[in-house]
């Protein structure tokens, strides 16, 4: 008998752990699972944010799976600037995928505008913003909480038709798909029937998705607990937020083919969408801002001028070794493209000192740089102490010079405000940091949702040894106290099993205490932004991901 080929299918609607406290799919496990199921591409579409796209992109490349970077945005019922009462509190869902570099930049712009300008309970865009930044994007009509399905459910079929037509006009018929889903929810059967009719009438394509929030069916329990943690509810709380079925997982192509056997084109189109995707992120290429120079100067010439002006203050009678080292460093710094970088650091240190803001001298490898000593960024004579310049900047290994500087925490904000004014508010932002569920904390969170008394969870949590890097796996080694307790108590075993699935999951986004990025062009063109509690913009990525992006 001839072997029957497995159906081809690609998941285009998937929530990772970065749909905070709503997604239980680990970014680094998603591509491997897709590959295991025979898929050659995979999308990430977290709610209203893009925190996970860099890790996802790298994990896909490692698993030989084509990464599709996207976001499930929220569309305001009116303008994204309207923020009054219930009508603006309930936005619609809408799915966007980046086709290319233009699309990725537009996705960053839309997610940033939603966070910075449109936030009202949730970050929101509107039709005008989507039209303004539609280039390079694929759009999907999304789930039951989306605009077109909602109009169908309300029996407003003409409005559903007009809205689908509007999105077709914004994105083009070849880049806008009506999204079919089947999680065993009766309303979806009705919506799907109308969506297929709309696609035929408006000359649009349909596409099948599964709105995955966890990797495997058996992870549904852990995801349910995660929702309880998000809403501060217990599993037995009445009327709490819950998913209606256990079908929101990364299904196999065979499972999806069985669900959509009557609309095979919806499966074929999931493979057609990745064929539109041609996005390559560049890592390790530096995006350095230019220092604002006096007329007639270059970064190299102005840095040399500063060094020569300050040379007598550091070395009243400079010997040939000083001059030789200064010239060597200046030539190398300029050749490697880091003159502006040194000038920027000098400038904000100089500002702090002029304003009487306590600023510590540069620490670490920068102490080996004579140029940084001459311009006052560091205060240690590198020649006297025979410090090695090449630890700071090595011509054999192009890496960003690292200058660690301490500012008084009480007045640090003034320095941030200075660089914001100096380089432009749209080019300066702080960076994100993320709180995660540690071993002890996740036991307390999960225990509460499962109905354990606080005293019980506290006692169990304390069976995990103290330490910043201690995991539940460490605490469950044979002979360990927690392992012995779990072996005797099935109720406790469930708690620990669920906690182990959720351990390390991001719990909330915050802002790094001191990390600030200065970019050569508006940041929202390069990275997604959010707003800090004190109103400043911050990049949605952490320090390591910002560094990776240059």
């Amino acid at each position: 008998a001839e072997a029957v080929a497995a159906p081809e299918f690609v998941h285009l609607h998937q929530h990772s752990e970065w749909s905070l406290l709503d997604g239980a799919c680990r970014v680094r496990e998603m591509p491997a699972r897709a590959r295991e199921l025979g898929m050659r591409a995979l999308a990430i579409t977290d709610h209203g944010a893009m925190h996970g796209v860099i890790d996802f992109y790298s994990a896909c490349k490692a698993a030989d799976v084509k990464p599709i970077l996207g976001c499930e945005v929220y569309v305001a019922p009116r303008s994204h600037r309207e923020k009054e009462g219930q009508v603006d509190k309930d936005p619609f869902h809408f799915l966007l995928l980046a086709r290319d570099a233009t699309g990725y930049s537009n996705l960053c712009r839309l997610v940033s505008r939603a966070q910075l300008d449109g936030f009202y309970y949730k970050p929101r865009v509107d039709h005008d913003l989507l039209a303004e930044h539609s280039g390079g994007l694929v759009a999907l009509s999304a789930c039951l909480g989306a605009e077109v399905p909602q109009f169908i459910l309300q029996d407003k079929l003409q409005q559903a038709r007009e809205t689908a037509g509007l999105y077709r006009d914004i994105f083009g018929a070849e880049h806008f798909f009506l999204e079919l889903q089947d999680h065993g929810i009766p309303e979806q059967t009705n919506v799907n029937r109308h969506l297929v009719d709309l696609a035929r009438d408006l000359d649009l394509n349909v596409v099948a998705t599964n709105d995955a929030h966890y990797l495997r069916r058996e992870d549904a329990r852990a995801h349910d607990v995660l929702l309880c943690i998000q809403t501060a509810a217990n599993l037995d709380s009445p009327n709490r937020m819950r998913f209606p079925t256990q079908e929101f997982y990364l299904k196999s192509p065979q499972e999806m083919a069985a669900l959509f056997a009557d609309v095979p084109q919806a499966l074929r189109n999931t493979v057609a969408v990745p064929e539109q995707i041609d996005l390559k992120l560049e890592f390790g290429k530096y995006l350095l801002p230019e220092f604002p120079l006096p007329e007639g100067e270059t970064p190299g010439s102005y840095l040399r001028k500063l060094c020569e002006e300050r040379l007598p203050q550091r070395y009243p009678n400079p010997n040939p070794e000083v001059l030789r080292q200064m010239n060597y460093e200046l030539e190398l710094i300029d050749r490697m493209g880091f003159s502006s970088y040194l000038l920027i650091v000098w400038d904000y240190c100089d500002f702090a000192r002029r304003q009487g803001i306590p600023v510590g001298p540069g620490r670490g490898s920068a102490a080996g740089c004579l140029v940084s000593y001459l311009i006052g960024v560091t205060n240690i004579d590198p020649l006297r102490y025979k410090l090695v310049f090449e630890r700071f900047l090595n011509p054999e290994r192009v890496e960003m010079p690292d200058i660690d500087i301490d500012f008084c925490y009480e007045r640090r904000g003034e320095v941030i405000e200075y660089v914001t004014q100096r380089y432009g508010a749209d080019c300066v932002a702080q960076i994100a940091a993320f709180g995660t569920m540690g071993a002890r904390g996740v036991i307390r969170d999960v225990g509460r949702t499962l109905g354990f008394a606080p005293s019980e969870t506290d006692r169990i949590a304390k069976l995990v040894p103290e330490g910043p890097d201690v995991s539940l796996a460490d605490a469950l080694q044979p002979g360990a106290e927690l392992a012995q307790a779990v072996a005797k108590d099935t109720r406790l075993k469930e708690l620990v099993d669920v906690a182990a699935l959720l351990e390390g999951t991001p719990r909330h986004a915050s802002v790094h205490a001191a990390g600030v990025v200065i970019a050569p062009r508006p940041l929202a063109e390069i990275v997604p932004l959010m707003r800090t509690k004190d109103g400043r913009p911050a990049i949605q990525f952490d320090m390591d991901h910002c560094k990776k992006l240059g």
Side-chain angles (χ1 to χ4, degrees):
E2 292 185 12
V4 178
E8 285 196 282
F9 175 79
V10 170
H11 277 284
L12 300 175
H13 189 148
Q14 170 133 335
H15 296 277
S16 79
E17 64 210 273
W18 294 105
S19 285
L20 298 176
L21 300 183
D22 187 17
C25 296
R26 299 299 177 99
V27 160
R28 297 180 186 183
E29 296 174 7
M30 288 157 55
R33 178 60 177 161
R35 187 74 181 172
E36 184 184 325
L37 294 172
M39 293 175 221
R40 58 186 183 180
L42 185 67
I44 182 172
T45 56
D46 284 315
H47 283 303
M50 296 169 64
H51 303 301
V53 297
I54 304 302
D55 266 349
F56 177 79
Y57 183 91
S58 299
C60 281
K61 290 295 185 182
D64 194 24
V65 170
K66 188 173 191 175
I68 304 172
L69 306 186
C71 182
E72 186 168 16
V73 299
Y74 297 99
V75 180
R78 303 186 294 177
S79 162
H80 74 292
R81 296 186 181 278
E82 296 274 359
K83 302 175 183 180
E84 296 178 14
Q86 192 64 36
V87 64
D88 295 317
K89 185 181 174 183
D90 295 325
F92 301 109
H93 294 211
F94 195 66
L95 212 71
L96 298 172
L97 308 172
R99 292 201 326 264
D100 50 27
T102 298
Y104 180 76
S105 183
N106 274 328
L107 187 62
C108 288
R109 286 183 174 100
L110 285 165
V111 170
S112 299
R113 292 285 296 275
Q115 293 271 356
L116 299 179
D117 304 330
F119 200 99
Y120 184 66
Y121 292 90
K122 289 181 171 63
R124 307 167 310 145
V125 297
D126 59 27
H127 293 156
D128 290 341
L129 276 180
L130 290 169
E132 185 180 347
H133 301 295
S134 62
L137 292 171
V138 172
L140 278 63
S141 61
C143 58
L144 287 179
E147 223 167 339
V148 176
Q150 279 295 304
F151 287 138
I152 292 172
L153 288 171
Q154 296 166 28
D155 205 27
K156 298 176 180 178
L157 300 184
Q158 183 58 31
Q159 282 182 262
R161 182 188 184 89
E162 290 170 359
T163 304
L166 172 66
Y167 284 129
R168 179 195 59 191
D169 294 343
I170 289 174
F171 294 97
E174 69 275 28
H175 302 312
F176 174 57
F177 294 81
L178 293 171
E179 190 172 344
L180 309 181
Q181 296 184 346
D182 186 352
H183 303 97
I185 302 170
E187 291 89 343
Q188 287 175 332
T189 304
N190 176 40
V191 166
N192 288 346
R193 179 171 54 82
H194 284 288
L195 289 175
V196 170
D197 290 343
L198 274 178
R200 183 189 61 245
D201 294 346
L202 297 174
D203 198 22
L204 289 169
N205 290 308
V206 291
V207 67
T209 72
N210 201 60
D211 196 6
H213 283 249
Y214 39 95
L215 276 187
R216 298 170 177 83
R217 184 192 292 273
E218 58 266 29
D219 297 336
R221 175 77 163 175
H223 178 258
D224 204 24
V225 169
L226 194 66
L227 293 180
C228 288
I229 294 171
Q230 179 201 147
T231 56
N234 292 342
L235 283 174
D236 57 1
S237 297
N239 304 319
R240 68 172 175 84
M241 177 185 176
R242 68 178 78 214
F243 278 30
T245 68
Q246 297 185 348
E247 301 295 322
F248 293 80
Y249 62 96
L250 198 73
K251 291 184 175 175
S252 68
Q254 292 84 351
E255 288 175 294
M256 293 302 291
L259 284 172
F260 295 97
D262 57 336
V263 275
Q265 70 272 27
L267 292 147
R268 289 196 299 270
N269 286 333
T270 70
V271 181
V273 169
E275 291 171 358
Q276 298 187 23
I277 308 296
D278 183 24
L279 173 63
K280 295 179 178 65
L281 296 185
E282 285 191 277
F283 298 142
K285 178 183 176 183
Y286 295 120
L287 302 172
L288 296 177
E290 289 290 332
F291 179 75
L293 295 162
E295 191 173 347
E297 298 280 5
T298 66
S301 71
Y302 192 58
L303 183 59
R304 177 175 289 276
K305 183 177 180 179
L306 288 178
C307 288
E308 290 173 346
E309 286 176 353
R310 287 158 173 73
L311 182 64
Q313 299 169 25
R314 295 297 199 185
Y315 299 97
N317 298 296
N319 59 39
E321 181 193 2
V322 172
L323 297 176
R324 185 168 55 249
Q325 183 66 21
M326 180 185 77
N327 287 322
Y328 163 70
E329 290 186 13
L330 285 169
E331 288 169 11
L332 185 61
I333 289 167
D334 200 45
R335 189 167 79 242
M336 294 181 72
F338 292 128
S339 293
S340 269
Y341 174 76
L342 266 292
L343 288 169
I344 289 166
V345 176
W346 159 75
D347 180 56
Y348 61 65
C349 289
D350 183 62
F351 163 79
R353 291 191 177 102
R354 285 187 282 110
Q355 297 301 312
I357 300 170
V359 50
R363 296 179 281 109
S365 61
C369 175
L370 179 65
V371 167
S372 67
Y373 176 58
L374 291 175
I375 62 178
V377 170
T378 59
N379 278 329
I380 297 291
D381 182 345
L383 301 181
R384 178 181 175 185
Y385 295 101
K386 295 182 171 53
L387 303 180
V388 181
F389 169 72
E390 284 74 17
R391 284 193 62 241
F392 173 66
L393 195 61
N394 191 327
E396 303 301 321
R397 190 180 69 238
V398 180
E399 286 187 353
M400 181 78 100
D402 186 22
I403 305 176
D404 297 311
I405 298 171
D406 301 302
F407 293 97
C408 167
Y409 72 92
E410 290 180 340
R411 300 185 63 190
R412 179 174 55 207
E414 294 175 47
V415 183
I416 296 174
E417 185 59 34
Y418 173 73
V419 295
T420 301
Q421 295 297 323
R422 190 90 156 113
Y423 301 98
D426 54 355
C427 296
V428 177
Q430 292 177 258
I431 58 178
F434 300 97
T436 59
M437 295 189 191
R440 287 189 167 191
V442 75
I443 282 177
R444 291 187 171 97
D445 279 332
V446 173
R448 177 179 53 76
T449 68
L450 295 180
F452 281 71
S455 58
E456 282 185 282
T457 54
D458 190 55
R459 177 182 58 80
I460 297 161
K462 286 178 179 177
L463 296 180
V464 178
E466 288 190 85
D469 299 318
V470 175
S471 68
L472 282 175
D474 297 326
L476 291 169
Q477 292 294 318
E481 280 189 88
L482 184 59
Q484 293 177 29
V486 167
K488 299 172 186 173
D489 187 337
T490 55
R491 187 163 164 261
L492 177 54
K493 185 179 186 306
E494 183 192 18
L495 188 161
V496 172
D497 285 348
V498 173
L501 284 170
L502 299 181
E503 183 184 12
T505 298
R507 207 180 195 288
H508 62 271
S510 59
V511 178
H512 191 282
V516 176
V517 166
I518 307 171
R521 62 180 190 270
L523 277 161
E525 298 176 8
I526 312 167
V527 289
L529 301 175
M530 61 184 186
R531 196 176 293 283
T532 67
K533 287 181 179 178
D534 62 359
R536 295 181 184 276
I539 296 172
Q540 290 185 18
F541 302 146
D542 66 13
M543 178 174 63
D544 292 334
H545 291 152
C546 289
K547 181 178 179 181
K548 199 169 185 178
L549 291 169

